[in-house]
Amino acid sequence: MANINENLLVRGARGNVGKQFIYRKHGNSTIIARMPSVNPNAEGSEAQLVRREYFESAAIYASGAIKNAELKKEYQKKAPPGKNAYNMALRDYLKAPVVKKVNTSSYNGTPGSAIVVYAKDDFRVVAVKVSIYVTSTNQLLEEGNAILDPIHLAQWIYTATQAHAALEDLTIIATATDLPGNTGALTVSVV
């Protein structure tokens, strides 16, 4: 594969030449590659079919996202050189958010005490839900949405509403959701 940037003969060229090699435009570059061969009768494995369906859903999301002018503008702002809003929307769909850390140092089991969740996504985390369970009985004690810290934009703060005295018997699950609806979670025990 050759990558050509400043040659006047191939600048902007696209398509194939004699079914032997193909010109592709990627960002500001023109790439020359061997013509791919595809067996039209080949059937994919079950895992390949699932992955193709997932990728098709990502493409549908990306197409819809760039039809929204405001969202397209936001995705384009995040795009590095050579990428566009569609590429970033596709990536956002394919990559789930990650809950990096759950800080329970300010949580003391009383209403009003705080749990801080650190969540990250390649584009934007839109919601974080915190669920507090009694570990021994697996009973849900309380659940609710955390609020984004206006200064530290990777921190979400959940304020407890229920009292619980036995802190060593609590499990907290923090679940982050991104714009396409992907979720990532982290489970911690209160110590």
Side-chain angles (χ1 to χ4, degrees):
M1 176 171 59
N3 189 348
I4 302 168
N5 293 325
E6 298 298 325
N7 188 321
L8 293 175
L9 293 174
V10 296
R11 184 184 312 171
R14 282 187 238 154
N16 68 63
V17 177
K19 302 280 184 194
Q20 298 211 359
F21 59 92
I22 188 166
Y23 289 102
R24 290 188 180 133
K25 186 149 174 58
H26 186 70
N28 294 329
S29 300
T30 302
I31 298 170
I32 301 174
R34 213 175 357 175
M35 189 77 173
S37 61
V38 178
N39 181 354
N41 299 324
E43 293 184 24
S45 68
E46 184 66 32
Q48 286 173 324
L49 295 175
V50 168
R51 192 68 183 162
R52 286 177 192 164
E53 188 175 303
Y54 182 57
F55 195 80
E56 182 181 353
S57 296
I60 291 168
Y61 170 78
S63 294
I66 64 170
K67 286 180 182 175
N68 178 318
E70 187 176 314
L71 192 54
K72 180 179 180 179
K73 185 178 176 182
E74 288 184 47
Y75 275 123
Q76 190 61 49
K77 273 195 248 179
K78 288 276 195 175
K83 302 287 183 188
N84 57 33
Y86 178 87
N87 300 134
M88 299 311 293
L90 188 74
R91 176 184 168 166
D92 191 26
Y93 187 93
L94 296 172
K95 192 171 181 186
V98 177
V99 177
K100 296 281 201 179
K101 179 180 170 187
V102 177
N103 184 344
T104 60
S105 63
S106 298
Y107 179 67
N108 57 17
T110 61
S113 56
I115 297 170
V116 180
V117 178
Y118 299 84
K120 184 180 178 187
D121 186 52
D122 57 335
F123 183 63
R124 181 189 324 151
V125 174
V126 294
V128 172
K129 182 173 85 173
V130 175
S131 306
I132 303 174
Y133 289 88
V134 178
T135 307
S136 59
T137 62
N138 202 28
Q139 175 191 357
L140 178 64
L141 180 64
E142 69 178 280
E143 180 175 70
N145 291 323
I147 297 171
L148 180 63
D149 186 317
I151 297 170
H152 304 285
L153 298 177
Q155 293 181 12
W156 294 75
I157 301 167
Y158 176 75
T159 305
T161 59
Q162 303 287 324
H164 195 280
L167 290 181
E168 65 280 351
D169 192 28
L170 295 182
T171 300
I172 296 174
I173 301 173
T175 306
T177 306
D178 67 0
L179 198 57
N182 299 316
T183 59
L186 181 64
T187 302
V188 297
S189 297
V190 179
V191 179

